[in-house]
């Protein structure tokens, strides 16, 4: 059985704050838990603030490829390989006059949090961010950082025993989307615990979320082929 537990009560995160310590102070963890941390509080703790007046320059600096644009709206691929509006730079839940960049290295951020939490329990950590999807309305949370979590499952056969050739569920993204249900944007709950998938928790040397980015040579959408 999968259980989703939001961790309420965390204070407003400021540069230099110890996210792992705050999680342990406000929630309890057991072996096999997967802790999903909203990227925004990671960015705040890392001091990734930029004056709002410098937002356009920051977008340019974070962008490696413009995917699409219409008027002032730009969908770009940023230096992390993530395709997002405005390179993932956000002004919501940020002090007036500032905007917030994504974490410098979300996988490293996840690893640092996981190392600290593993002093208490053998857990995995996902750093989540909200992204849109091509050809679908709305947004959902996905994994942009990971440590100690198996991000993909590869079933060999379907329910009727037929071989599955291309099915590769990205369980890392699925867990982040599920966790979003108990950490709404207006609920001041930026961290959630997913309990019931201890089978996905492993060594901190497992591939991080950067491994979810589709390799250039496999990207048919970019070529139109």
């Amino acid at each position: 059985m999968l259980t989703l537990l939001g961790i309420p009560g965390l204070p407003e995160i400021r540069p230099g704050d110890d996210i792992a310590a705050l999680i342990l102070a406000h929630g309890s963890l057991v072996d096999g838990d997967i802790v999903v941390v909203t990227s925004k509080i990671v960015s705040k703790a890392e001091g990734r603030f930029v004056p709002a007046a410098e937002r356009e320059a920051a977008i340019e600096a974070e962008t490696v490829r413009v995917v699409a644009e219409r008027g002032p709206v730009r969908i770009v691929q940023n230096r992390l390989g993530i395709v997002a509006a405005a390179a993932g730079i956000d002004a919501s839940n940020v002090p007036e006059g500032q905007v917030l960049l994504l974490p410098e290295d979300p996988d490293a951020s996840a690893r640092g949090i996981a190392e600290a939490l593993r002093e208490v329990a053998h857990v995995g950590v996902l750093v989540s961010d909200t992204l849109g999807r091509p050809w679908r309305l709305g947004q959902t949370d996905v994994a942009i950082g990971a440590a100690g979590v198996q991000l993909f499952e590869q079933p060999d056969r379907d329910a009727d025993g037929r071989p599955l050739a291309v099915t590769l569920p990205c369980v890392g993204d699925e867990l982040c989307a599920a966790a979003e249900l108990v950490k709404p944007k207006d609920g001041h709950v930026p961290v959630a615990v997913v309990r019931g998938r201890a089978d996905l928790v492993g060594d901190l040397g497992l591939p991080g979320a950067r491994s979810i980015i589709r390799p250039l040579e496999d990207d048919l959408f970019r070529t139109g082929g």
Side-chain angles (χ1 to χ4, degrees):
M1 181 178 69
L2 198 68
T3 302
L4 306 174
L5 304 167
I7 298 182
L10 270 70
E12 176 63 26
I13 304 300
R14 304 184 188 283
D17 281 350
D18 186 332
I19 290 177
L22 290 170
I23 291 171
L24 293 174
H26 291 82
S28 60
L29 302 176
V30 300
D31 289 346
D33 282 349
I34 297 173
V35 181
V36 183
V37 183
T38 302
S39 65
K40 184 158 292 177
I41 68 168
V42 176
S43 291
K44 288 181 176 180
E46 295 178 356
R48 298 282 287 162
F49 294 98
V50 173
E54 299 176 13
R55 178 177 181 272
E56 290 304 313
I59 293 173
E60 292 289 343
E62 292 288 298
T63 296
V64 298
R65 178 172 68 97
V66 176
V67 176
E69 57 184 324
R70 178 178 295 168
V73 178
R74 275 178 290 170
I75 308 298
V76 307
Q77 185 175 37
N78 67 16
R79 58 178 182 77
L80 298 170
I82 297 167
V83 176
I89 296 172
D90 195 3
S92 63
N93 294 318
V94 176
E96 188 71 26
Q98 295 183 309
V99 294
L100 197 64
L101 280 63
L102 290 174
E104 181 73 27
D105 183 341
D107 283 331
S109 301
R111 186 183 182 97
I113 296 170
E115 287 174 342
L117 295 179
R118 285 192 177 198
E119 296 293 324
V120 174
H122 185 72
V123 302
V125 172
L126 297 171
V127 175
S128 68
D129 195 51
T130 304
L131 298 180
R133 289 82 41 79
W135 304 296
R136 299 183 71 84
L137 294 174
Q139 298 82 32
T140 188
D141 272 20
V142 301
I144 67 166
V149 180
Q150 180 182 320
L151 298 174
F152 294 98
E153 291 183 304
Q154 193 161 18
D156 295 325
R157 298 182 179 275
D158 67 12
D160 296 318
R162 291 186 293 265
L164 293 170
V166 297
T167 301
L168 185 66
C170 184
V171 67
D173 282 351
E174 291 175 337
L175 292 170
C176 288
E180 184 184 14
L181 296 173
V182 294
K183 52 184 187 74
K185 300 294 183 289
D186 59 353
H188 304 289
V189 182
V191 179
V193 174
V194 180
R195 188 166 292 166
R197 289 306 310 263
D199 58 302
L200 297 174
V201 178
D203 189 82
L204 291 180
L206 285 169
R210 192 67 184 251
S211 66
I212 298 174
I213 304 297
R214 188 183 298 275
L216 176 62
E217 61 271 19
D218 296 338
D219 190 351
L220 298 181
F221 299 100
R222 186 179 308 201
T223 63

